[in-house]
Amino acid sequence: MKRIIPLEEIPKDILTKTQEWQDKRSGYHPAEHSAVLNAIFKEIGQVNESEWDMRTSLKRILSRFPKDGKGFYSKADLIAGYRYLVAEGDLEADPLLMKRIRMKPMRTQSGVAPVTVLTAPAGCPGKCIFCPDDWRMPKSYIYDEPGCQRAERDGFDPFRQTAGRINAFESIGHDADKVELLVLGGTWSAYGRDYREWFIQRCFDAMNAAGNPAYTGSASLADAQEQNIHAGHRNVGLVVETRPDWVTPDEIRHLRKLGVTKVQIGVQSLDDDILALNKRGHDVATVRQALGLLRTAGFKLHLHWMPNLYGATPAKDRADFARFFNDPAICPDELKIYPCSLIADTELYDLWQAGQYQPYSESELVDLLADVKPTIPPYTRVNRLFRDIPAHHIQAGVKLSNLRQVVHEELRRRGQECGCIRCHEVKRRTVTAEELQLKLYSYETDLTREHFLHFVTNAQSRHPGLIAGFLRLSLPLQPGVGSRAFLDEIADSAMIREVHVYGPALAIGKESSGQAQHVGLGTRLIDEAQRISRAGGFTRMSVIAATGTRAYYEARGFAQGELYMSRTIG
């Protein structure tokens, strides 16, 4: 396996598209448009907030100032112009103006900049009948998925991928100071240990180098992590994806050495018969064991579910989905729902051609998802309802790219709503401390008692019932359960598995005008978690801290140990 694909081996169509995009961008120089840009920004600033429509107001203004006498200035043009004029002293920095011209505001509304990178193409220990096997990509990925095209363009180089995504965020007006790094590419644990450590080190090098021309690289993974603690672009979450049958005590330790805080697990089904028919290579008992090890080690659990697998029916899938929350060993923190897509050159495709498999119709799938979404408890976030596979690869069945929207329209028709975190996030709305109340939702898993502490807007708020921040507190039911049996450092600790406060990602140290991230919610959540832990008989609290959050927790009394940060609670 090649760690980095050399330039001469990258397909010409990828390089051609990249060059065309670069040529288009390189022809624009803000200095040549400064007078027009100033006029545009002046008009944008004169529109009252109550009258500003995100979809139409900017377009109306731009239509009066055509670029070079024709066409529109793009948002990337406006952002580059704004930054140029501010740097030249010709324009005062204006957060409201930046908010109005920012591209794709949804990208960072959860509070962090998600940077996705792919590992190099390699085999996979799985033999799943539905999984595509594109030789240009890691197993299960297809070459023209958007993230895959970027990775291939960069030769799967972790440094170039990470640096490129940070630059892309900042070029469209987002701060990328707080980075959630998502490492995708099949079964992470099946790659060689040397490769995994090198890959993560180079991702950290890219974060450390962003905006810092004096950075000269790192001598080791530990060195790269140490330099990231106070870097301008800090890692606040590190996510990898693997299979349940690859989660072992040794793997748990290594994940923490790398700085991993969340693990995506391809569960796909909680029905042993369905797993066997689709040749998953593991059973539900293996899933339970893996999740127990991960949860008791503090990791966030991000599970994948695939309705419409071979052998499934809508009725079976409804029952299967219920197991995710009725089975105390499962209870995911996050969930991706990936309806099975029928891809050519897979074993499932052969079964379909033989008349032994039938994809669900659109109405069947929409009804199924609309039935299950309202049953999701408040501690789970549904990140996806459909995988981003280009429609031309799907040979039969549903191809809707806006499936979430269609399902939500069906829920509104029924007078229902989804119960998940994502559907109740405060997003870009501003809130005050007076609008918030602290709620507690507690539940038991097979090995722990979990407390989901969350601040929600109260009944007096303009937007009641929205989540502004939350904390996941995990208390083991017995000493030495799960990973506590071999992780002496946390053997007797209460565990903070996640602290997340919502709002648009802001640069580290910048002030906010009401965004939830900057009204002290994190500290208040930690204080309440400490109170609950003390009441439960715990005298020590640990947190699974990402490298870039160590300074935050250190300021709140936590000290770095070998793999976790901890503090005593009196």
Side-chain angles (χ1 to χ4, degrees):
M1 182 193 79
K2 294 181 179 178
R3 289 185 171 186
I4 299 175
I5 306 301
L7 183 66
E8 60 271 17
E9 294 184 21
I10 298 175
K12 286 187 172 59
D13 61 319
I14 296 292
L15 297 176
T16 299
K17 288 179 183 177
T18 301
Q19 190 61 52
E20 289 173 352
W21 181 84
Q22 291 174 342
D23 290 345
K24 184 177 179 181
R25 292 291 299 272
S26 63
Y28 172 72
H29 301 287
E32 299 172 3
H33 301 258
S34 58
V36 179
L37 289 168
N38 263 313
I40 291 172
F41 295 150
K42 182 178 180 181
E43 290 218 9
I44 292 172
Q46 289 174 342
V47 181
N48 292 329
E49 183 69 8
S50 60
E51 298 173 356
W52 184 264
D53 186 308
M54 194 169 65
R55 292 168 297 180
T56 61
S57 296
L58 180 60
K59 194 170 184 179
R60 282 199 299 268
I61 293 170
L62 293 179
S63 68
R64 298 197 290 272
F65 297 91
K67 181 180 179 181
D68 297 325
K70 58 183 178 181
F72 288 93
Y73 284 93
S74 69
K75 284 191 173 182
D77 292 337
L78 296 179
I79 290 161
Y82 169 85
R83 288 177 169 158
Y84 169 78
L85 293 173
V86 170
E88 290 293 306
D90 296 330
L91 184 71
E92 289 289 329
D94 184 346
L96 179 60
L97 174 57
M98 177 59 87
K99 174 184 173 184
R100 290 179 174 182
I101 65 175
R102 179 181 292 125
M103 294 174 64
K104 301 178 181 178
M106 297 286 285
R107 290 288 178 86
T108 56
Q109 70 180 10
S110 291
V112 298
V115 170
T116 301
V117 296
L118 260 70
T119 50
C124 173
K127 306 296 180 185
C128 310
I129 68 172
F130 50 80
C131 197
D133 193 5
D134 184 341
W135 65 271
R136 290 166 58 170
M137 291 293 128
K139 183 76 178 292
S140 87
Y141 289 87
I142 299 176
Y143 73 93
D144 54 354
E145 294 179 70
C148 296
Q149 291 187 72
R150 291 193 297 266
E152 189 172 36
R153 177 197 66 203
D154 291 330
F156 299 94
D157 180 339
F159 185 98
R160 290 172 59 191
Q161 290 184 73
T162 305
R165 295 308 294 151
I166 290 172
N167 180 64
F169 273 117
E170 294 183 338
S171 72
I172 59 176
H174 295 264
D175 284 304
D177 297 40
K178 290 174 282 188
V179 173
E180 180 180 44
L181 183 70
L182 297 95
V183 182
L184 306 182
T187 304
W188 168 257
S189 310
Y191 285 85
R193 184 165 290 198
D194 286 348
Y195 173 79
R196 285 179 277 161
E197 293 182 5
W198 167 82
F199 192 97
I200 298 299
Q201 180 183 346
R202 293 300 289 156
C203 290
F204 272 105
D205 280 339
M207 286 182 274
N208 295 339
N212 180 14
Y215 184 74
T216 58
S218 58
S220 64
L221 170 61
D223 180 30
Q225 290 171 328
E226 185 69 25
Q227 295 192 63
N228 189 251
I229 295 173
H230 299 288
H233 295 77
R234 300 178 196 172
N235 175 242
V236 300
L238 205 169
V239 189
V240 299
E241 60 178 355
T242 193
R243 289 170 52 94
D245 48 340
W246 282 75
V247 177
T248 65
D250 281 346
E251 183 64 7
I252 293 285
R253 291 191 193 90
H254 192 243
L255 290 173
R256 282 308 299 138
K257 176 183 176 181
L258 297 175
V260 173
T261 57
K262 182 192 302 181
V263 179
Q264 295 195 39
I265 295 281
V267 172
Q268 320 309 7
S269 175
L270 292 171
D271 182 320
D272 278 335
D273 292 337
I274 299 296
L275 292 174
L277 282 171
N278 289 270
K279 300 184 180 179
R280 279 290 295 163
H282 65 80
D283 58 11
V284 177
T286 305
V287 174
R288 293 191 184 104
Q289 181 179 8
L291 299 186
L293 288 172
L294 289 165
R295 192 180 345 253
T296 51
F299 293 98
K300 275 76 74 179
L301 305 180
H302 186 160
L303 310 188
H304 298 182
W305 178 58
M306 294 185 73
N308 200 191
L309 288 169
Y310 179 50
T313 65
K316 286 184 178 180
D317 277 335
R318 286 177 176 85
D320 195 46
F321 189 84
R323 295 185 192 104
F324 277 82
F325 306 103
N326 295 340
D327 185 334
I330 311 301
C331 301
D333 303 313
E334 299 181 18
L335 192 63
K336 281 183 180 175
I337 300 177
Y338 282 161
C340 185
S341 294
L342 185 65
I343 308 299
D345 300 320
T346 62
E347 191 174 337
L348 184 63
Y349 179 75
D350 295 337
L351 291 168
W352 174 68
Q353 287 189 311
Q356 298 177 45
Y357 171 77
Q358 184 60 45
Y360 294 163
S361 67
E362 181 179 321
S363 61
E364 286 177 316
L365 184 57
V366 170
D367 282 347
L368 168 64
L369 298 179
D371 285 347
V372 302
K373 273 183 121 297
T375 70
I376 297 169
Y379 61 81
T380 298
R381 187 181 197 272
V382 177
N383 293 353
R384 289 283 188 94
L385 271 192
F386 201 73
R387 185 169 162 187
D388 196 13
I389 295 177
H392 63 271
H393 287 294
I394 302 174
Q395 303 302 307
V398 177
K399 302 182 181 182
L400 292 175
S401 59
N402 65 333
L403 181 60
R404 183 187 290 269
Q405 178 184 344
V406 173
V407 170
H408 281 206
E409 287 172 355
E410 173 61 18
L411 287 173
R412 282 191 291 272
R413 188 190 69 78
R414 298 180 182 188
Q416 296 178 303
E417 64 177 13
C418 176
C420 93
I421 292 172
R422 176 171 173 156
C423 293
H424 297 273
E425 291 169 350
V426 71
K427 296 185 169 67
R428 298 184 302 278
R429 301 176 183 90
T430 56
V431 296
T432 63
E434 291 73 25
E435 291 180 78
L436 298 174
Q437 61 179 334
L438 181 61
K439 287 191 172 183
L440 174 64
Y441 185 95
S442 301
Y443 58 101
E444 281 198 5
T445 72
D446 56 337
L447 302 177
T448 63
R449 182 160 182 79
E450 301 290 319
H451 298 282
F452 181 69
L453 293 77
H454 52 301
F455 276 106
V456 298
T457 50
N458 57 34
Q460 288 72 47
S461 171
R462 291 170 297 167
H463 307 286
L466 299 181
I467 298 175
F470 65 83
L471 180 149
R472 300 184 190 276
L473 174 65
S474 184
L475 306 180
L477 294 176
Q478 300 291 335
V481 296
S483 293
R484 305 299 182 96
F486 55 85
L487 293 174
D488 294 341
E489 183 180 352
I490 59 169
D492 58 353
S493 288
M495 174 66 71
I496 294 176
R497 296 195 296 118
E498 181 174 16
V499 178
H500 195 122
V501 181
Y502 287 101
L506 297 179
I508 293 168
K510 285 189 178 179
E511 293 299 320
S512 160
S513 57
Q515 277 89 355
Q517 284 193 339
H518 295 265
V519 292
L521 297 189
T523 299
R524 293 168 63 187
L525 287 164
I526 292 171
D527 289 345
E528 181 62 15
Q530 177 176 288
R531 187 195 66 78
I532 293 172
S533 300
R534 186 190 304 116
F538 291 85
T539 59
R540 181 178 171 84
M541 174 181 284
S542 299
V543 59
I544 184 167
T547 301
T549 65
R550 289 184 192 174
Y552 174 87
Y553 288 110
E554 184 177 338
R556 286 153 182 81
F558 291 83
Q560 182 64 38
E562 181 187 1
L563 301 174
Y564 297 86
M565 298 188 75
S566 301
R567 59 170 291 181
T568 57
I569 49 178

